[in-house]
Amino acid sequence: MTMTLDAQARKVTQAQLYINGEWVAPKNNQSFPTVDPNTGETIADIPRGDASDIDRAVAAAKAVAVEWQFTDAIARAALLRQLAALVTEHADELARLEALDSGHYLSKAQDLMGAIPLWLDYFAGLADKVGGRTIEVPGNKLSFTLLEPLGVTGHIIPWNYPLLILVRSCAPALALGNTCVVKPAEDTSLSALKFAELVHQAGFPPGVFNVVTGLGPEAGAALAAHPDVAGITFTGSTETGKTVAKLAADHVAQVNLELGGKSPTIVFPDADLDDAVEGAVQGFCSHAGQVCVAGTRLFVHADIKDAFLGKLVERLQTAQVGDGFDDSTQMGPLVSKKQYERVRNYIEVGKSEATLFYGGGKPAGTPEGGYFVEPTVFTDVTSDARISREEIFGPVASVITWTDENDLIAACNDSIYGLFAVIFTQNITKALNTARRLQVGGVMINEWFGELPMAPHGGYKQSGTGREEGLEAVHGYTQVKHVTVNLDGSLRSGADWAGAPL
Ligand code: NAI
Ligand code: MG
């Protein structure tokens, strides 16, 4: 049965699992609430799928895997394009669900949903364009590789960009001939279930795409551990990513991990200060700081520190924090009570180890039960301070001043993470030298993050393995088969194999 959204009452009814092209209740008939983080009110009961439901979904995906692999790539692409059209048609409803469930403010959620077809189209386009290569082997032989799907892929999704992260991994998986089982985050399952309705409507064969909602340690762990799941894509915390990788290792599944970060925003003394301040604010306040690439370490050159901080305060004072359904809101709440308490705790830690320069409280006028936090800035932050080392995932930044470029690079790289960095300077040589020396998977110069389907995204060090998006994403959802054909027509003795006859 499909879901219905009562936008006025902020309630959703009839969420069910999507397995083998059907809407079903979890075997245990249990559910858990998901809340509107603007108010703390329950908006829906989400089915609490467990290992037995994951078994059903993986079995359905496995049963159809070979048929889907050998479906013409052009036909798989056509279905993805049909899905893109349906997402466009239903973008407003998807945006309302996403805003209600995750705390993205509505116009931002509308922008995000409007962009999702770009990912579906990009990977639809790749379906019939990627392939193997021919290899020059000795002798009269034809040697080549085939790029083949993994089979069943599992997708464990976080709550910060629920549908975008689902689509950026499922679109290449499906385009390249895999069948998918998705486990959304428990705080934000609704857009995934709505998306499943659109997959169904687009006409994907039953079993090709499945959604099992549930708790991480139950449904999530069962998916990662399932022996018939050949590849797992996980986005979320580094800690849970390690657990998922260990579970997957038990059956030697391929793993793509997109994990945490503590990204630097670097401001050189010659930077355009207004741009740098805007980039810095977007870097740690976008989606209330719940962004893997969030620029939470602001490395500001000592010569411009005072000017930078002055402009930073002016800019932060204009930031409208509030209910995501108010037109004026530019920053909504944190996703959950758990995340709110985690961020509040980090702010207390910060007060004990650095100077609270801006914010730190609950923004005035925000709804009572909501999980709102002011943009918060600490100064006098030492390199061993927890707030400058650990991923907070809230609108909290540490300002660190620097003078020497070598020290700057060393400080930026002194992190278990290596996801992303932003550099502000007018000097392109400095910018490019810095970009090369940073141990991160992505760099932006004179601009904050902008996620794109065609640019690879992922981390160095404990920020992850593998790459989402771009042509690089192909590696995450394919395996290589090598084929050699003897063109002599009969088997000769004395093989050419590296000079070593048996
Ligand atoms: P998490 O990493 O535990 O959750 C992400 C996903 O993993 C969810 O779907 C969850 O159900 C699932 N999961 C949880 N435990 C699992 C297990 N044992 N086996 C398989 N799947 C499991 O993140 P959480 O606890 O919601 O947030 C904690 C922190 O994680 C945040 O404060 C933030 O620092 C980080 N985080 C990072 C994200 C990123 O984009 N890099 C996204 C979400 C959280
Ligand atoms: Mg929610």
Side-chain angles (χ1 to χ4, degrees):
M1 192 178 302
T2 52
M3 283 188 327
T4 48
L5 162 69
D6 180 341
Q8 213 57 42
R10 294 188 172 198
K11 296 276 181 219
V12 171
T13 50
Q14 287 298 351
Q16 286 186 303
L17 309 178
Y18 183 65
I19 298 177
N20 204 21
E22 290 176 351
W23 296 99
V24 293
K27 283 212 161 140
N28 61 23
N29 256 320
Q30 290 184 17
S31 62
F32 59 92
T34 188
V35 302
D36 171 2
N38 292 291
T39 61
E41 300 282 326
T42 296
I43 48 180
D45 290 324
I46 302 296
R48 185 171 165 175
D50 63 16
S52 63
D53 303 301
I54 291 288
D55 271 348
R56 284 199 283 172
V58 172
K62 188 181 175 189
V64 75
V66 172
E67 187 189 325
W68 184 243
Q69 168 178 358
F70 291 109
T71 298
D72 288 346
I74 204 167
R76 295 197 302 260
L79 282 169
L80 283 165
R81 292 202 179 93
Q82 173 65 15
L83 180 56
L86 286 167
V87 169
T88 301
E89 197 183 308
H90 293 267
D92 191 62
E93 188 181 359
L94 284 166
R96 284 174 195 282
L97 282 170
E98 195 84 311
L100 196 56
D101 209 8
S102 73
H104 278 287
Y105 61 88
L106 184 59
S107 62
K108 185 59 164 225
Q110 283 164 335
D111 286 351
L112 283 168
M113 297 306 122
I116 278 178
L118 297 176
W119 273 258
L120 294 164
D121 281 338
Y122 177 80
F123 288 108
L126 273 192
D128 61 357
K129 292 176 192 62
V130 295
R133 62 190 179 97
T134 52
I135 303 168
E136 290 303 320
V137 294
N140 186 20
K141 300 186 184 81
L142 175 63
S143 183
F144 58 94
T145 60
L146 295 171
L147 213 49
E148 298 191 332
L150 299 173
V152 179
T153 52
H155 304 256
I156 301 177
I157 313 297
W159 39 258
N160 52 344
Y161 290 83
L163 193 55
L164 178 65
I165 292 176
L166 183 160
V167 169
R168 81 179 183 194
S169 76
C170 289
L174 293 169
L176 297 165
N178 301 276
T179 56
C180 300
V181 177
V182 175
K183 209 298 280 173
E186 36 277 71
D187 289 315
T188 56
S189 301
L190 295 175
S191 56
L193 292 170
K194 184 75 208 170
F195 183 76
E197 287 178 20
L198 304 180
V199 169
H200 192 85
Q201 211 176 317
F204 281 78
V208 167
F209 180 84
N210 308 272
V211 179
V212 177
T213 54
L215 308 183
E218 295 177 4
L223 182 59
H226 202 294
D228 290 333
V229 172
I232 278 278
T233 297
F234 171 86
T235 308
S237 64
T238 292
E239 202 182 326
T240 305
K242 290 177 189 176
T243 305
V244 165
K246 285 175 193 157
L247 291 170
D250 246 4
H251 57 285
V252 199
Q254 185 166 316
V255 206
N256 303 313
L257 301 173
E258 210 269 79
L259 308 177
K262 194 75 196 175
S263 299
T265 296
I266 300 170
V267 187
F268 278 84
D270 69 343
D272 178 313
L273 265 197
D274 291 319
D275 279 0
V277 165
E278 186 58 33
V281 168
Q282 288 181 24
F284 78 93
C285 294
S286 189
H287 195 25
Q290 301 166 112
V291 186
C292 56
V293 294
T296 48
R297 293 187 293 159
L298 305 180
F299 287 94
V300 181
H301 192 277
D303 289 353
I304 51 158
K305 179 190 167 199
D306 291 340
F308 179 89
L309 288 178
K311 281 180 183 284
L312 185 65
V313 170
E314 273 174 36
R315 173 65 182 88
L316 290 175
Q317 279 167 345
T318 69
Q320 293 286 326
V321 187
D323 187 302
F325 288 85
D326 288 349
D327 287 345
S328 58
T329 294
Q330 299 166 337
M331 187 173 117
L334 297 171
V335 71
S336 63
K337 189 155 190 279
K338 176 180 148 193
Q339 193 60 18
Y340 176 74
E341 282 166 0
R342 180 184 156 100
V343 172
R344 290 240 50 96
N345 181 53
Y346 270 112
I347 290 173
E348 290 311 308
V349 170
K351 286 182 189 166
S352 70
E353 58 183 13
T355 304
L356 177 62
F357 172 75
Y358 187 88
K362 187 160 175 137
T366 48
E368 197 40 46
Y371 310 129
F372 297 92
V373 174
E374 271 184 305
T376 299
V377 179
F378 287 97
T379 51
D380 304 318
V381 186
T382 58
S383 60
D384 59 351
R386 283 184 60 199
I387 55 163
S388 75
R389 304 197 75 81
E390 298 175 17
E391 183 176 59
I392 297 174
F393 238 55
V396 183
S398 297
V399 175
I400 303 159
T401 49
W402 63 277
T403 48
D404 176 85
E405 280 173 37
N406 288 326
D407 293 345
L408 165 73
I409 300 291
C412 289
N413 288 338
D414 177 21
S415 172
I416 61 164
Y417 299 114
L419 193 55
F420 191 69
V422 171
I423 301 167
F424 284 95
T425 175
Q426 298 301 311
N427 183 329
I428 192 67
T429 313
K430 274 195 197 306
L432 292 177
N433 272 313
T434 307
R436 290 192 68 182
R437 295 174 71 193
L438 292 169
Q439 294 159 353
V440 294
V443 178
M444 290 266 175
I445 297 168
N446 293 332
E447 137 155 83
W448 191 61
F449 189 62
E451 189 156 353
L452 296 164
M454 59 292 276
H457 172 59
Y460 283 19
K461 300 197 268 186
Q462 292 192 32
S463 289
T465 59
R467 291 293 175 272
E468 299 284 350
E469 301 163 332
L471 291 176
E472 288 76 2
V474 169
H475 303 303
Y477 301 102
T478 52
Q479 53 194 337
V480 176
K481 180 181 282 172
H482 165 221
V483 180
T484 292
V485 191
N486 173 0
L487 296 177
D488 278 345
S490 65
L491 186 64
R492 291 176 297 119
S493 60
D496 314 300
W497 308 110
L502 294 175

